[in-house]
């Protein structure tokens, strides 16, 4: 069988991909101001369900963009998400990326309290004296602990990106974040992942860069 391939230059592959995504989305309604985030999630995953399951609290994108420009830092629940975030772009605004999952004090706290490291890492993040955006792509227990810290008044994130993937408590943890008064971007349902968490952060960074150009 002969396969017909498109003749696309390497520098044009992403541009062509986004054109195809836009064409396939057709008249699918997207919230104004969220289009780039949705399309980047689709581009990362080849999954058009993100056009339906990504939920944004009112004004979340603009609040996040402003926070990043004011030096907000990103806290992730996996090294994979940390490695995927464009740290050079974030550093232009004074921010950096943290992942505490491998820290010895986090492991010790988790053992002491009988919790997951993801839970303990959120406690460590709450002690940071910084503007924080949380990008959670793997551990629902991290989202549950964030919910508790927010409800206790111990943490007020600039944004929570809640996109853990999986089955046990994944759906429920996302719904908890959507009950808070903090800005959020949540992938409702079971889908998500560290790559999606990093993708959303990068989309926000690219949106700032596009406005500067």
């Amino acid at each position: 069988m002969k396969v017909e391939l498109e003749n696309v230059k390497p520098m044009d592959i992403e541009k062509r991909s986004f054109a195809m995504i836009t064409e396939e989305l057709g008249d699918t309604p997207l919230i104004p101001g969220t289009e780039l985030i949705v399309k980047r999630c689709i581009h990362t995953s080849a999954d058009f369900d993100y056009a339906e399951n990504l939920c944004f609290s009112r004004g979340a994108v603009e609040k996040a963009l402003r926070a990043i420009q004011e030096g907000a830092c990103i806290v992730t629940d996996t090294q994979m998400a940390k490695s995927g975030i464009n740290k050079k772009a974030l550093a232009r605004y004074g921010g950096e990326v943290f992942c505490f999952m491998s820290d010895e004090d986090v492991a010790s706290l988790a053992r002491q309290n009988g919790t997951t490291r993801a839970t303990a890492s959120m406690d460590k993040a709450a002690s940071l004296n910084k503007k924080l955006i949380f990008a959670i792509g793997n551990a629902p227990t991290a989202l549950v602990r964030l919910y508790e810290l927010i409800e206790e008044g111990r943490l007020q994130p600039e944004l929570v990106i809640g996109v853990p993937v999986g089955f046990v408590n994944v759906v429920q943890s996302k719904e908890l974040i959507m009950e808070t008064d903090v800005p959020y971007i949540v992938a409702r349902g079971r889908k998500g992942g560290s790559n999606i968490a990093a993708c959303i952060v990068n989309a926000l960074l690219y949106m700032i860069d596009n406005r500067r150009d």
Side-chain angles (χ1 to χ4, degrees), residues 58-202:
R58 185 181 297 274
V61 173
E62 287 301 323
K63 291 173 184 175
L65 297 178
R66 185 163 58 250
I68 290 171
Q69 290 174 297
E70 293 173 354
C73 293
I74 313 296
V75 177
T76 79
D77 63 331
T78 65
Q79 295 294 339
M80 179 181 174
K82 180 181 178 180
S83 67
I85 291 170
N86 189 329
K87 289 170 280 295
K88 184 176 180 181
L90 183 64
R92 284 201 291 267
Y93 309 103
E96 56 185 312
V97 185
F98 298 101
C99 178
F100 301 125
M101 293 290 287
S102 301
D103 293 5
E104 281 301 319
D105 57 341
V106 166
S108 177
L109 182 63
R111 286 192 299 268
Q112 177 184 324
N113 294 337
T115 68
T116 66
R117 288 194 182 199
T119 296
S121 71
M122 295 301 103
D123 285 301
K124 183 169 182 175
S127 69
L128 296 174
N129 185 26
K130 300 176 182 289
K131 291 179 181 286
L132 296 177
I133 290 173
F134 289 84
I136 308 301
N138 182 68
T141 55
L143 282 189
V144 173
R145 187 57 181 149
L146 278 179
Y147 171 80
E148 293 170 347
L149 290 167
I150 292 165
E151 291 299 295
E152 292 166 9
R154 294 174 55 193
L155 191 62
Q156 190 68 24
E158 303 298 320
L159 176 72
V160 175
I161 299 169
V163 293
V165 61
F167 298 91
V168 178
N169 290 329
V170 166
V171 174
Q172 296 91 328
S173 67
K174 294 174 180 179
E175 295 296 325
L176 283 175
I177 292 300
M178 294 176 69
E179 292 178 7
T180 70
D181 61 357
V182 303
Y184 63 75
I185 301 173
V186 166
R188 239 178 178 153
R190 294 172 171 172
K191 294 184 178 182
S194 296
N195 59 332
I196 296 297
C199 162
I200 292 173
V201 174
N202 288 337

Side-chain angles (χ1 to χ4, degrees), residues 15-45:
K15 183 178 179 181
R16 175 64 180 134
S17 296
F18 273 86
M20 293 171 72
I21 289 167
T22 300
E23 181 180 0
E24 191 161 336
L25 281 171
D27 295 330
T28 302
L30 301 177
I31 300 170
T34 70
E35 297 92 343
L36 180 60
I37 296 171
V38 173
K39 290 179 182 180
R40 282 210 165 268
C41 287
I42 294 171
H43 180 254
T44 295
S45 63

